[in-house]
Amino acid sequence: MAASSMRTTVLSFGRSNGHCLGNYAFSLLGIRAPYSTALSTNNAKGFPDRASRMPRRARREPGEARTEKMADNQDWTAVYPAAAVFKPSAVPLPVRMGYPVKRGVPPQKNGNLELMKIPNFLHLTPAAIKKHCEALKPFCTEWPAGLDSDAACEKHFPIKVENKEFVSAGTSLRNPKARVVTLTVKLSSLNLDEHARKKMVKLVGDRYCKETDTLTIITDCCPVRQQNYDYTMYLLTVLYHESWKTEAWEAEKTREDMEEYHWEGSTSQKNVLDTLLRMRAASEGEEDPGAVREELLGQPTVQEYKDSVTRLKNEGETEEGMLQYREAVKKLLNI
Amino acid sequence: MATPIVMVGRNVGAFANTVLRTSSVLLNVDVCGIKGRHVIFSQECRLQRPAAFHTACVLRTAPAITVTDEPDMLYQRIEVQVKGHDKTVLDSYEFFATVAAKELGIDIGKVYEPPKNIERLTLLKSVHIFKKHRVQYEMRTHYRCIELSRITGSTAQVYLEYIQRNLPEGVAMEITKAAIERVPEHIQNPMWDGIPNKDKASQ
């Protein structure tokens, strides 16, 4: 309160005298003006100490804008060699950006914050891109000419390894999804025999897709992507070699464990034999059961019936399958 | 195929050197985070300013391109997805990426724009009470996808690094790489060529 009252008295004193006291009055009263007041002379900054020590630099007028001196055939890559803020004096385009005021147009480019905020691609004109690529060309390699189709790639390089990489700005460079590795391979491209293939399918379970015959292994248990890749290759190796092994307990495989339907030894075969035997017995007398069985099974009608039943069981019920079954049954029972 | 396919890799240790010389934006960028072998270049470039880049691609010293015998990686498909808040910035970036790919001789598969995602929030306008007066914000994320097909490891490294260094501020990128490999030697034949049970007993 006291200081403010003193300040007002000083001000009135200055005005009444008709000339400014300058900083002397303030240094006398021990008041520091935080901003320029009526008493200060050419002290734009308002710091009394600095003005007495440093002479004030004369303000330079901005020169001619670079846009005036630009030629039509200049090299633009010299003006913007790298990513930089939009400089209205360096870009010769009459660009306007911003929300127009009432009955107006968007503001001009000079002093336009919107143009400065947005990332510009002035340093990546086609000419600049061509120059960059010319410099980068020696480090590129050609794709092998023999692998120009997906089928050729699949044939020679059956294993496919997928991973992701992330680029973003944030407090951390890491992204936990970057360490996931997915390995895809078709079982037909591996050296497996029938038993090994069936065992492999049983070992992997859900990871095998029957329609596309692909095995997919996804790992993210290790913290580093290289480790995850090594682990997938290790899993593939172990699965491969284990599936070639035949354990003692595999001999106990029952009909329920089988992947496909086999007609030999099934109830369908038994039923067919029974039916045919009864048909035979109605017309003829007793014969050797073993020979009769072989003879009955060898008939073409029985073979057709076997094919149709196997097809229905393995592929599911389709129009063609049902028709084939119908025909086979009709022939078998002489309808 | 009768002819064996041999891949030759290129040591791209000098790549960063060239890129740093060709675009001076990297003068103040700390390249330590990207790869170990690029660390030394962050000090070199501060000493040698790329003053004459625009006149011709004349480098101060000849780039040391070393060709190694290490087989090159093969990528069947590389998908680059960029996302940002401004669609026009992504448009410009897509133009840049496609022109760069064409210049480097990379096959571009598909370039498409997945639909944008808008996340909306409804918050209370006032600090205290006034439950009926709310304010709503939304965050729009636009996407752009560029698929490249059949590209070698060296080319991929060069192209992706070039793309990533020129990624504008406020734009994020996600890259999905699908590499193809041969079946390794240890999987080509089962190791129990003899009697499996005997091998198991010996182990």
Side-chain angles (χ1 to χ4, degrees):
Chain A
M1 288 304 282
S4 58
S5 59
M6 280 157 80
R7 204 177 286 150
T8 45
T9 49
V10 165
L11 278 170
S12 57
F13 177 56
R15 274 202 206 100
S16 62
N17 272 7
H19 60 87
C20 314
L21 285 179
N23 307 316
Y24 180 68
F26 281 91
S27 51
L28 205 62
L29 297 167
I31 298 167
R32 287 186 181 279
Y35 38 81
S36 57
T37 61
L39 278 177
S40 59
T41 51
N42 48 1
N43 196 2
K45 283 210 180 118
F47 291 130
D49 304 328
R50 216 189 269 185
S52 51
R53 267 190 263 136
M54 272 179 2
R56 193 162 168 280
R57 223 189 288 171
R59 186 172 175 272
R60 266 192 325 179
E61 287 300 319
E64 199 192 6
R66 190 173 169 177
T67 51
E68 314 297 326
K69 304 178 219 162
M70 281 179 173
D72 276 341
N73 54 353
Q74 68 164 344
D75 187 13
W76 180 254
T77 53
V79 184
Y80 266 85
V85 190
F86 178 85
K87 295 172 193 109
S89 58
V91 177
L93 305 166
V95 180
R96 287 182 172 268
M97 182 152 163
Y99 193 78
V101 296
K102 241 192 280 188
R103 299 170 157 278
V105 289
Q108 52 161 343
K109 64 177 179 176
N110 287 316
N112 194 329
L113 192 63
E114 293 296 319
L115 277 170
M116 284 200 274
K117 284 194 300 195
I118 198 78
N120 65 63
F121 283 78
L122 293 162
H123 58 294
L124 292 173
T125 49
I129 302 174
K130 281 192 176 63
K131 281 196 184 161
H132 295 153
C133 292
E134 282 303 313
L136 294 175
K137 263 283 188 198
F139 297 97
C140 300
T141 48
E142 292 245 332
W143 179 261
L147 295 173
D148 49 358
S149 69
D150 279 342
C153 291
E154 183 65 45
K155 185 175 156 209
H156 295 276
F157 298 89
I159 294 185
K160 197 155 122 167
V161 179
E162 280 178 21
N163 58 19
K164 288 195 192 231
E165 284 173 12
F166 299 87
V167 179
S168 64
T171 45
S172 165
L173 285 176
R174 325 256 168 225
N175 192 315
K177 292 189 228 166
R179 60 166 201 262
V180 177
V181 172
T182 307
L183 183 134
T184 333
V185 65
K186 284 213 164 140
L187 289 190
S188 49
S189 52
L190 295 174
N191 179 19
L192 294 165
D193 71 345
E194 265 311 303
H195 159 263
R197 198 172 174 284
K198 287 180 184 164
K199 186 165 177 189
M200 172 87 102
V201 169
K202 274 207 190 293
L203 281 173
V204 301
D206 265 344
R207 296 176 189 85
Y208 176 72
C209 172
K210 215 168 131 183
E211 284 87 43
T212 51
D213 187 35
T214 28
L215 166 66
T216 312
I217 302 176
I218 305 174
T219 38
D220 69 336
C221 47
C222 305
V224 175
R225 189 196 297 154
Q226 182 59 34
Q227 293 173 347
N228 279 315
Y229 170 73
D230 291 336
Y231 184 56
T232 44
M233 294 310 283
Y234 160 75
L235 280 181
L236 188 66
T237 316
V238 164
L239 281 168
Y240 179 79
H241 292 296
E242 284 298 309
S243 58
W244 271 96
K245 262 204 248 184
T246 312
E247 306 279 344
W249 45 260
E250 284 184 44
E252 296 160 23
K253 192 173 179 186
T254 60
R255 191 150 252 282
E256 284 82 24
D257 296 326
M258 298 283 178
E259 299 80 10
E260 286 172 338
Y261 178 79
H262 293 283
W263 193 73
E264 288 79 22
S266 68
T267 47
S268 173
Q269 191 192 32
K270 257 199 313 217
N271 292 340
V272 160
L273 276 171
D274 279 340
T275 320
L276 288 174
L277 275 169
R278 275 202 214 124
M279 279 161 64
R280 274 277 184 100
S283 47
E284 294 161 7
E286 269 299 316
E287 282 178 24
D288 179 25
V292 167
R293 193 166 172 276
E294 290 308 315
E295 192 197 328
L296 283 174
L297 284 175
Q299 283 170 13
T301 46
V302 174
Q303 292 297 318
E304 266 182 42
Y305 180 76
K306 167 191 164 191
D307 289 335
S308 64
V309 167
T310 321
R311 184 186 169 169
L312 274 178
K313 291 271 183 180
N314 284 338
E315 292 171 24
E317 292 185 359
T318 56
E319 272 297 323
E320 295 91 22
M322 293 307 286
L323 285 172
Q324 194 185 353
Y325 178 72
R326 178 175 163 222
E327 293 304 318
V329 166
K330 279 198 323 199
K331 279 191 204 147
L332 196 68
L333 303 174
N334 300 323
I335 298 166
Chain B
M1 290 281 160
T3 52
I5 298 159
V6 174
M7 259 59 60
V8 167
R10 284 183 188 265
N11 180 9
V12 293
F15 162 65
N17 211 353
T18 315
V19 173
L20 288 171
R21 287 217 181 85
T22 55
S23 52
S24 59
V25 65
L26 306 160
L27 278 176
N28 301 321
V29 166
D30 177 26
V31 296
C32 298
I34 302 174
K35 270 179 201 173
R37 58 188 163 184
H38 294 177
V39 170
I40 47 168
F41 297 123
S42 59
Q43 275 133 29
E44 271 187 39
C45 64
R46 278 191 202 109
L47 300 170
Q48 305 166 22
R49 295 194 71 89
F53 154 70
H54 49 276
T55 52
C57 288
V58 173
L59 306 166
R60 296 294 166 100
T61 56
I65 305 173
T66 52
V67 179
T68 57
D69 283 332
E70 187 190 310
D72 218 351
M73 290 277 288
L74 293 172
Y75 292 104
Q76 197 178 31
R77 186 179 61 95
I78 291 187
E79 194 183 296
V80 175
Q81 192 194 56
V82 277
K83 42 188 202 179
H85 291 302
D86 202 333
K87 189 166 170 295
T88 44
V89 170
L90 294 181
D91 285 338
S92 304
Y93 190 74
E94 177 203 313
F95 173 77
F96 155 67
T98 43
V99 168
K102 262 194 275 270
E103 289 294 318
L104 288 175
I106 299 169
D107 295 326
I108 301 171
K110 242 196 327 174
V111 179
Y112 62 101
E113 187 185 348
K116 65 178 183 279
N117 174 42
I118 305 180
E119 191 186 323
R120 294 192 174 103
L121 306 170
T122 310
L123 305 170
L124 295 172
K125 203 187 248 191
S126 168
V127 161
H128 181 58
I129 50 171
F130 303 120
K131 190 63 177 257
K132 280 194 276 185
H133 302 89
R134 312 250 183 153
V135 72
Q136 290 186 315
Y137 296 103
E138 64 178 26
M139 285 179 285
R140 297 188 176 188
T141 311
H142 300 266
Y143 301 93
R144 205 54 70 97
C145 236
I146 302 169
E147 281 187 14
L148 315 164
S149 52
R150 292 189 216 123
I151 173 169
T152 56
S154 306
T155 314
Q157 211 174 10
V158 166
Y159 178 73
L160 288 176
E161 188 163 347
Y162 180 51
I163 292 283
Q164 285 165 14
R165 282 185 189 262
N166 287 311
L167 196 68
E169 40 280 350
V171 174
M173 186 195 274
E174 181 184 316
I175 299 160
T176 310
K177 291 179 172 173
I180 51 174
E181 288 176 18
R182 287 191 206 270
V183 176
E185 275 133 28
H186 46 270
I187 301 183
Q188 271 164 16
N189 290 304
M191 48 196 252
W192 354 90
D193 272 330
I195 304 157
N197 288 327
K198 264 204 186 156
D199 282 353
K200 198 183 70 149
S202 65
Q203 282 165 23

